[in-house]
Amino acid sequence: MTSIPERLLVSNAADFDRVDQLRAESDAILIGAGTIRSDNPRLIVKSESRQTERVAAGRARQPLKVVVSESGDLDPDVKFWHHGTDEHRPVVYTTTMGGAWARSRLGELADVVGLGHPLDFGRMLDDLGARGVRRLMVEGGSRIHTTFLMEDLADELFLAIGPVLVGDIYAPRFLLPEKFPGGSTRRRTLVDLTRVGDVAVLHYHLGENE
Ligand SMILES: NC(=O)c1ccc[n+]([C@@H]2O[C@H](COP(=O)([O-])OP(=O)(O)OC[C@H]3O[C@@H](n4cnc5c(N)ncnc54)[C@H](OP(=O)(O)O)[C@@H]3O)[C@@H](O)[C@H]2O)c1
């Protein structure tokens, strides 16, 4: 998959604010190295009032930031390492080989954790749990979403659908082709449907349908 040259904003301002609220309710936010390379995100809670509310509740001003990278090839100059990291360094989960590369590139910017090869997402979640993370928000991209759903590791799914038709063959998709547990006949539970301006937000619970 190749990223399209200009970032297409499928959501609207109100929906981005909804996402900011979800970030503020999370202990940690996780993305894949591909999203860091293509989008150069800060991955922070933007609203100052939400930051203040977190502090008043005895939490860190910003959620812990987490990145998954098999290669460990992470650019130390991107925004990810330099915003919202005053209270805790981002955590990099990688392979044994990737760990050496990530440490040499990032130095003190990140806490690098090697998880063998292939990278074990179950161990990653155990490690995050040991760091006090109870609610993890997974923000993409396609390969990360695919792995979480293929390994049945997510409890909830929020799907925002914008009113645009994307025909570019290289545009990123929500999921990559994969054998998901239960196959395509397994039904999930739609628990809520919200209109946010011209965007529809679907909220699913991912266990078996009752
Ligand atoms: N619409 C949205 O809400 C949204 C949100 C986020 C991202 N996106 C889009 O999604 C695209 C990026 O998606 P992507 O699939 O290319 O990248 P990605 O999922 O963000 O990251 C892929 C990279 O993460 C690491 N990784 C992911 N799963 C792994 C696994 N199971 N085992 C080991 N390493 C793993 C690898 O890192 P290494 O390459 O370092 O080995 C892999 O190349 C971008 O175009 C971005 O704009 C959209």
Side-chain angles (χ1 to χ4, degrees):
M1 189 172 69
T2 307
S3 59
I4 48 180
E6 267 184 44
R7 195 169 165 220
L8 173 68
L9 300 182
V10 177
S11 285
N12 56 35
D15 190 53
F16 283 122
D17 191 58
R18 177 192 62 82
V19 171
D20 199 60
Q21 175 65 30
L22 279 179
R23 285 182 178 179
E25 291 167 5
S26 303
D27 300 310
I29 313 173
L30 180 151
I31 54 171
T35 298
I36 290 195
R37 290 180 199 123
S38 62
D39 295 355
N40 193 12
R42 291 184 298 164
L43 211 75
I44 57 167
V45 174
K46 295 187 181 76
S47 153
E48 293 207 357
S49 60
R50 290 185 184 124
Q51 293 177 25
T52 305
E53 279 168 26
R54 284 179 58 94
V55 173
R59 309 174 79 187
R61 182 168 286 277
Q62 292 286 342
L64 178 68
K65 300 203 288 186
V66 180
V67 59
V68 177
S69 169
E70 190 163 29
S71 66
D73 185 12
L74 294 161
D75 181 350
D77 294 328
V78 296
K79 294 175 189 165
F80 184 83
W81 316 109
H82 305 288
H83 295 266
T85 51
D86 295 345
E87 289 162 288
H88 31 217
R89 298 190 296 173
V91 184
V92 176
Y93 290 104
T94 181
T95 54
T96 310
M97 292 279 286
W101 183 221
R103 282 185 200 97
S104 76
R105 293 209 71 188
L106 299 174
E108 294 300 310
L109 288 175
D111 186 0
V112 177
V113 181
L115 291 175
H117 194 276
L119 205 152
D120 184 336
F121 274 48
R123 276 180 63 198
M124 174 175 78
L125 294 185
D126 288 344
D127 188 79
L128 285 170
R131 292 168 191 264
V133 174
R134 296 288 169 267
R135 186 172 168 90
L136 173 67
M137 181 172 178
V138 177
E139 281 210 40
S142 312
R143 190 170 164 204
I144 286 291
H145 285 145
T146 303
T147 308
F148 267 88
L149 294 175
M150 185 185 68
E151 298 193 12
D152 239 345
L153 294 173
D155 301 313
E156 294 178 280
L157 170 66
F158 290 90
L159 202 56
I161 302 177
V164 293
L165 301 177
V166 181
D168 187 328
I169 193 171
Y170 296 116
R173 263 61 187 171
F174 167 42
L175 295 175
L176 305 175
E178 192 46 86
K179 286 183 182 152
F180 294 102
S184 46
T185 57
R186 178 177 171 190
R187 300 188 75 82
R188 313 306 177 113
T189 308
L190 180 67
V191 289
D192 196 19
L193 174 62
T194 313
R195 180 178 183 148
V196 185
D198 64 0
V199 170
V201 181
L202 313 182
H203 178 191
Y204 291 94
H205 282 175
L206 293 178
E208 297 294 336
N209 207 346
E210 289 142 26

